[in-house]
Amino acid sequence: MDPNHPQEPVPHAEPVAVAIVVETPTQTLDHVDDYLRRGQQSDASDIHLPMNCLATWRRFGNLEPIWLQAPMLTAADTERLAMGFLDDAQKKILHERGDVDFAYATNFGRFRASVVRHRLGIDMVFRIISTKLRTMDELGLPKTLKMLTQYQNGLILVTGSVGCGKSTTLSALVDYINVTRHDHIITLEDPIEYVIPSKSCHVTQREVHTHTKGFSHALRGALREDPDVIMVGEMRDLETIQLAITASETGHLVLATLHTGSASRTLDRVLDVFPVDQRDQIRVMVAESLRGIISQQLVPRADGKGRVLALEVLMRTEAVAACIRDGKTFMLPGVMQTGGKMGMRLMDDSLLELYNDGLITKEECYARCDQKAVMRQHLLGAH
């Protein structure tokens, strides 16, 4: 890390774990809500109900059985549980397509549900959605990221692997805009996770496959709704990416997510979806419209009590724009290394800071870094 460019403290992304005592059931529970309530009360992030296996949950990044001595879920059990909470339309989709994804709301919380049929039967996975919309300050996100929310147009990307907290970060950015500006915000999600009530802004939330056919269809429709800010839950295909870039160039602030691991790989992913003969033009468009890229990981704590956030931040500067225009994204890490005063940081610097603070292990730090040789020298020199 560059001592001349001190970094913002990296926040704790999850609460410290507490001892959980869950009474082992002697038979399969009656309804999926019974499993979801236990998971929610125990700080789990996901609940898995697979046939021929034990009911499991993911707590602080680790997938483990909820009860070791509980009965296995049979094909009849998962069929009964699935049919007990799916409505008629969802059952029809499951029968015709073989899988169905949607937001599932109960009187005690919201969940992202995925039900799939395979050769042996039905499996279900639920993502537990926090009912409390957390602010940027509560998440401990760097103050420099608030600058990104003040742009009237452009593209802001939040990237990372599945389950790394992209939706939480994106919703916090949108909520900050909701408080500090007087605009029309449209969110396009699959499914809607955080419910964002209108504050100083008017917020319209649309769920893909429920309120609209797909992201590209929803985005095209959103442009006719006089929006100022558009949040795209995921840029999945060429048409959606193309529409998002166009919207960011035509007076809209667009916030979106991608499943990429770093700023440079994010830009390569965006450019690579376009035909070769269009890439020069797209590079110029992205160089002008990009405002920032936030890449993140949730890393298990050294003490096993939760996870912490490792964050990479790219902010648009003329040097960054030149790298994009010239097709030299491989030079971006060097530009970011010297851009600390602008709020930029590399993922490796964030990981090393977490390790030096005793929050993550040497093994996690090394396994998740990009530059293995450089990180090995830092780790050997540190201890």
Side-chain angles (χ1 to χ4, degrees), residues 100-373:
V100 59
D101 301 284
F102 56 97
Y104 176 58
T106 69
N107 60 2
F108 58 87
R110 285 174 54 80
F111 308 86
R112 190 171 69 197
S114 175
V115 183
V116 300
R117 188 180 295 279
H118 55 88
R119 69 183 182 87
L120 298 176
I122 289 177
D123 282 1
M124 290 163 282
V125 178
F126 300 86
R127 167 67 50 84
I128 298 175
I129 301 169
S130 172
T131 55
K132 182 180 182 298
L133 184 63
R134 298 171 71 183
T135 67
M136 294 180 69
D137 291 336
E138 287 172 336
L139 293 174
L141 295 172
K143 291 181 175 58
T144 51
L145 295 187
K146 292 181 178 179
M147 296 166 49
L148 294 176
T149 67
Q150 301 309 302
Y151 285 103
Q152 297 302 307
N153 57 51
L155 183 63
I156 300 170
L157 299 175
V158 180
T159 75
S161 60
V162 174
C164 73
K166 295 188 298 297
S167 296
T168 302
T169 297
L170 201 60
S171 297
L173 291 169
V174 170
D175 189 57
Y176 187 77
I177 295 171
N178 190 19
V179 172
T180 58
R181 292 169 57 165
H182 301 277
D183 290 323
H184 182 200
I185 301 171
I186 297 179
T187 76
L188 312 173
E189 304 170 70
D190 180 23
I192 293 171
E193 296 198 16
Y194 294 92
V195 175
I196 305 174
S198 297
K199 296 175 183 176
S200 294
C201 293
H202 168 50
V203 181
T204 303
Q205 292 187 268
R206 302 188 71 198
E207 185 168 287
V208 173
H209 304 309
T210 301
H211 307 132
T212 181
K213 290 181 180 179
F215 278 110
S216 59
H217 190 273
L219 187 48
R220 191 178 294 104
L223 293 173
R224 296 191 291 267
E225 297 298 318
D226 188 31
D228 299 286
V229 179
I230 304 172
M231 185 187 98
V232 184
E234 187 180 343
M235 298 203 302
R236 293 179 176 172
D237 52 43
L238 170 60
E239 188 177 11
T240 304
I241 293 173
Q242 195 166 32
L243 285 167
I245 293 172
T246 301
S248 70
E249 279 204 317
T250 55
H252 308 88
L253 182 62
V254 179
L255 301 93
T257 70
L258 277 171
H259 289 112
T260 48
S262 69
S264 58
R265 284 195 287 272
T266 297
L267 291 165
D268 290 339
R269 166 76 183 279
V270 169
L271 297 170
D272 286 348
V273 300
F274 289 90
V276 174
D277 60 346
Q278 295 181 24
R279 288 181 189 170
D280 288 344
Q281 178 189 356
I282 296 300
R283 275 198 293 268
V284 173
M285 293 173 68
V286 172
E288 294 304 315
S289 63
L290 184 69
R291 299 295 177 234
I293 300 175
I294 305 162
S295 299
Q296 57 188 65
Q297 298 184 49
L298 283 176
V299 188
R301 290 171 55 100
D303 58 11
K305 298 178 179 179
R307 292 182 291 178
V308 289
L309 183 65
L311 206 64
E312 177 170 290
V313 179
L314 177 143
M315 308 286 277
R316 185 194 182 279
T317 63
E318 285 307 315
V320 168
C323 288
I324 299 170
R325 273 195 305 268
D326 298 340
K328 296 180 179 178
T329 54
F330 63 89
M331 295 178 63
L332 285 173
V335 175
M336 294 169 67
Q337 186 75 54
T338 59
K341 290 182 179 179
M342 297 293 297
M344 291 195 257
R345 66 159 62 180
L346 287 168
M347 180 62 72
D348 285 9
D349 291 339
S350 184
L351 289 166
L352 187 59
E353 182 179 337
L354 289 173
Y355 170 66
N356 289 334
D357 290 343
L359 294 173
I360 65 174
T361 65
K362 181 185 295 187
E363 290 74 21
E364 286 286 356
C365 180
Y366 184 74
R368 294 169 179 269
C369 72
D370 285 326
Q371 301 297 320
K372 301 291 186 185

Side-chain angles (χ1 to χ4, degrees), residues 14-35:
E14 296 187 357
V16 174
V18 295
I20 300 296
V21 179
V22 184
E23 185 178 350
T24 302
T26 57
Q27 60 185 24
T28 305
L29 302 183
D30 292 334
H31 197 275
V32 295
D33 289 6
D34 299 322
Y35 293 95

